[in-house]
Amino acid sequence: MLSQPENKYRPWPPLNLPDRTWPEKRITHAPRWLSTDLRDGNQALAEPMDSERKLQFWNLLLECGFKEIEVAFPSASQTDFAFVRQLIEEARIPDDVTIQVLTQARDELILRTFEALRGAKRATLHLYNATAPLFRRLVFGMEKQEIVALAVNATTLIRQQCERYPQTCWQYEYSPETFCFTEPEFALEICEAVADVWQPCAERPMIINLPATVEVNTPNVYADQIEHFCRHFSRRNEVCISVHPHNDRGTGVACAELAMMAGADRVEGCLFGNGERTGNVCLVTLAMNLYSQGISPGLSFHDMNKVVEVVESCNQLPVHPRHPWAGSLAYTAFSGSHQDAIKKGFDARKAGDRWEMPYLPVDPQDIGCSYEAVIRVNSQSGKSGSAWIIEQNHGLTLPRALQQDFSQHVQRETDSHGREMTLNALWQLFRTRYGLVPQPPLTLRDYRSESQQNGRLKLQATLTVNGEQKRIEGYGNGLLSAAAAGLAPLTAQPLVIKDYHEHTLGERSDSRSVAYIRCEFADGSSRWGVGIDSDVSRASLQALFNAAVAQD
């Protein structure tokens, strides 16, 4: 990299629009959406989709609710031409869906495009030509007047062809490609000239698409360009203003959102931002951004995992694990402080409450994701993460002191291998540590208790101790204190019960109960035990026995 990049690169100048109004606007409704996955996205693939993958993607887009889909560049290849014909001839296009196709401003390509669309019920013909000074000078060697004439002549032919086939409901889209670095007045001039030919009205709908073909400035500059165009275009109320942001600077989503605030009606992009170079704007991100603000996006991603799966299969490209809203780690917290906040949020939430959850702007269940992935445990995790996983998957609401104790064991385990701890491994560690194994060292077989005349309680119990049956007897103020006294011959040192909690596992009357007990020993150490049983007394006794022999 250069130490003085200003010698090689120059900043693109902003637009002078001191009275801009878009910063005060809010997005209150979804735009019209157009997916260009099958066209712009497909041409960006190292191995473009075959017809089978294209059909799979097409069906996914319909399931997601797209009503406008750019399906091909039919004059560019026989594969694209054949795909358009397949959709039409096999009646795969719902009546409320409009297919869109792209063409350059050349007569033979336009005529070939109309051949592909023959018999379509609804179709958008999308014409583009580059308008920026760099392209006029270097790529085409043409003056402004020639660029305008190219677009006007092509539009004239397109209108003639549309009138030849009145059985199709036609829509026309014009894109001054490279709009974002075209002189604002020239962009207006060429779009006015094209609209004069098309004469947009209800019977002849028209879209003016203003692409950020290559991002060259910050999103606020793009918004200024959109607002300037909307203010000065003479037929603003007769056309739909569309935007097509790319992501070269990594701000494609911001460009689209600010453009909507500046007056854009429609957004073109791809699922998960596929496209040339760094991609088109991600329509999933835009839609979910709206959803998280309580605005219906008009698209459905209720099974996000399926959407990711199909797109990855068709594009043969992975969706990044950290991709907004859809990545496999998009809702996952490893950090202990994050996990603690999330757990407190779930603990406080009541059915029917508005969604207010630390670190989770939407409920993952809304898009078909389970809570299992929300918190995952590694060496960075704290007490709340492990406790939340145990509660969500096994229903055990651990007392805070037990959370702290268990987290120390988890920390030692994760530090020893440096890897994430799986749900199964976490549960096995918990069971082993606190006695929830098929045959704990002290296993309660049966017991009897009876009140004494002095108000104390007598307990007699049969235990299996390392495979041998033994009987214990003890006296105390209650069942557990009597059991603690009866354990004295079996433990190396006396113990005192310092902490006790219990709850049911479920809401039915026959639900099992879980008990948590912490015992303190003569040497100052303390240990926890957990017991689960359909009888709360048996659960409590087994928890005590598990604590008595737990190993540090």
Side-chain angles (χ1 to χ4, degrees), residues 113-231:
T113 301
F114 275 94
E115 287 179 35
L117 290 171
R118 188 178 65 257
K121 293 179 181 177
R122 307 172 62 88
T124 300
L125 212 302
H126 181 190
L127 175 77
Y128 76 98
N129 66 320
T131 55
L134 178 65
F135 281 68
R136 298 197 307 260
R137 185 180 76 251
L138 284 182
V139 181
F140 301 111
M142 299 172 74
E143 298 298 326
K144 287 182 180 178
Q145 297 81 356
E146 296 173 286
I147 295 291
V148 173
L150 191 68
V152 166
N153 293 337
T155 303
T156 301
L157 178 58
I158 289 170
R159 178 167 174 177
Q160 292 171 353
Q161 291 299 306
C162 288
E163 291 169 353
R164 284 187 61 193
Y165 302 102
Q167 68 274 20
T168 298
C169 182
W170 296 105
Q171 183 171 237
Y172 178 49
E173 175 174 342
Y174 174 67
S175 291
E177 192 197 9
T178 64
F179 163 81
C180 61
F181 48 103
T182 295
E183 307 95 316
E185 299 312 318
F186 182 57
L188 281 164
E189 177 188 340
I190 195 168
C191 289
E192 294 280 12
V194 167
D196 284 344
V197 174
W198 183 256
Q199 292 291 305
C201 59
E203 293 74 31
R204 278 189 307 280
M206 182 178 183
I207 299 165
I208 298 288
N209 185 51
L210 306 174
T213 309
V214 180
E215 280 196 307
V216 295
N217 216 320
T218 49
N220 60 297
V221 174
Y222 187 53
D224 282 349
Q225 292 171 323
I226 300 300
E227 180 169 335
H228 178 273
F229 187 94
C230 290
R231 279 194 205 177

Side-chain angles (χ1 to χ4, degrees), residues 75-354:
S75 63
S77 75
Q78 180 57 36
T79 302
D80 272 18
F81 186 96
F83 182 65
V84 178
R85 295 310 309 157
Q86 182 180 13
L87 292 178
I88 297 169
E89 292 170 3
E90 296 179 3
R92 292 180 177 271
I93 308 169
D95 289 344
D96 62 345
V97 172
T98 301
I99 60 169
Q100 179 167 306
V101 294
L102 187 71
T103 183
Q104 293 171 316
R106 289 165 49 190
D107 289 2
E108 69 276 15
L109 301 183
I110 292 170
L111 295 175
R112 176 68 169 165
T113 301
F114 275 94
E115 287 179 35
L117 290 171
R118 188 178 65 257
K121 293 179 181 177
R122 307 172 62 88
T124 300
L125 212 302
H126 181 190
L127 175 77
Y128 76 98
N129 66 320
T131 55
L134 178 65
F135 281 68
R136 298 197 307 260
R137 185 180 76 251
L138 284 182
V139 181
F140 301 111
M142 299 172 74
E143 298 298 326
K144 287 182 180 178
Q145 297 81 356
E146 296 173 286
I147 295 291
V148 173
L150 191 68
V152 166
N153 293 337
T155 303
T156 301
L157 178 58
I158 289 170
R159 178 167 174 177
Q160 292 171 353
Q161 291 299 306
C162 288
E163 291 169 353
R164 284 187 61 193
Y165 302 102
Q167 68 274 20
T168 298
C169 182
W170 296 105
Q171 183 171 237
Y172 178 49
E173 175 174 342
Y174 174 67
S175 291
E177 192 197 9
T178 64
F179 163 81
C180 61
F181 48 103
T182 295
E183 307 95 316
E185 299 312 318
F186 182 57
L188 281 164
E189 177 188 340
I190 195 168
C191 289
E192 294 280 12
V194 167
D196 284 344
V197 174
W198 183 256
Q199 292 291 305
C201 59
E203 293 74 31
R204 278 189 307 280
M206 182 178 183
I207 299 165
I208 298 288
N209 185 51
L210 306 174
T213 309
V214 180
E215 280 196 307
V216 295
N217 216 320
T218 49
N220 60 297
V221 174
Y222 187 53
D224 282 349
Q225 292 171 323
I226 300 300
E227 180 169 335
H228 178 273
F229 187 94
C230 290
R231 279 194 205 177
H232 294 93
F233 186 64
S234 64
R235 300 175 185 269
R236 174 64 187 95
N237 294 330
E238 298 161 4
V239 303
C240 170
I241 299 297
S242 178
V243 291
H244 181 116
H246 278 258
N247 198 44
D248 301 86
R249 293 169 56 91
T251 59
V253 168
C255 279
E257 291 182 327
L258 297 192
M260 289 165 61
M261 293 162 61
D265 307 305
R266 180 176 182 263
V267 178
E268 299 187 351
C270 292
L271 301 186
F272 309 120
N274 182 41
E276 296 283 12
R277 305 179 308 280
T278 57
N280 293 276
V281 67
C282 173
L283 298 186
V284 174
T285 302
L286 283 173
M288 289 302 301
N289 286 359
L290 291 173
Y291 183 83
S292 70
Q293 300 297 302
I295 300 169
S296 174
L299 296 175
S300 176
F301 298 111
H302 62 275
D303 189 352
M304 189 68 81
N305 290 333
K306 177 186 176 181
V307 177
V308 171
E309 197 175 294
V310 172
V311 172
E312 287 184 331
S313 173
C314 292
N315 286 344
Q316 297 183 351
L317 290 171
V319 173
H320 196 282
R322 298 288 183 191
H323 193 97
W325 306 113
S328 60
L329 297 178
Y331 304 95
T332 301
F334 289 102
S335 159
S337 60
H338 289 206
Q339 293 175 350
D340 184 59
I342 292 169
K343 183 179 184 301
K344 288 175 179 173
F346 273 101
D347 289 345
R349 180 169 169 76
K350 296 180 177 62
D353 285 354
R354 284 190 176 272

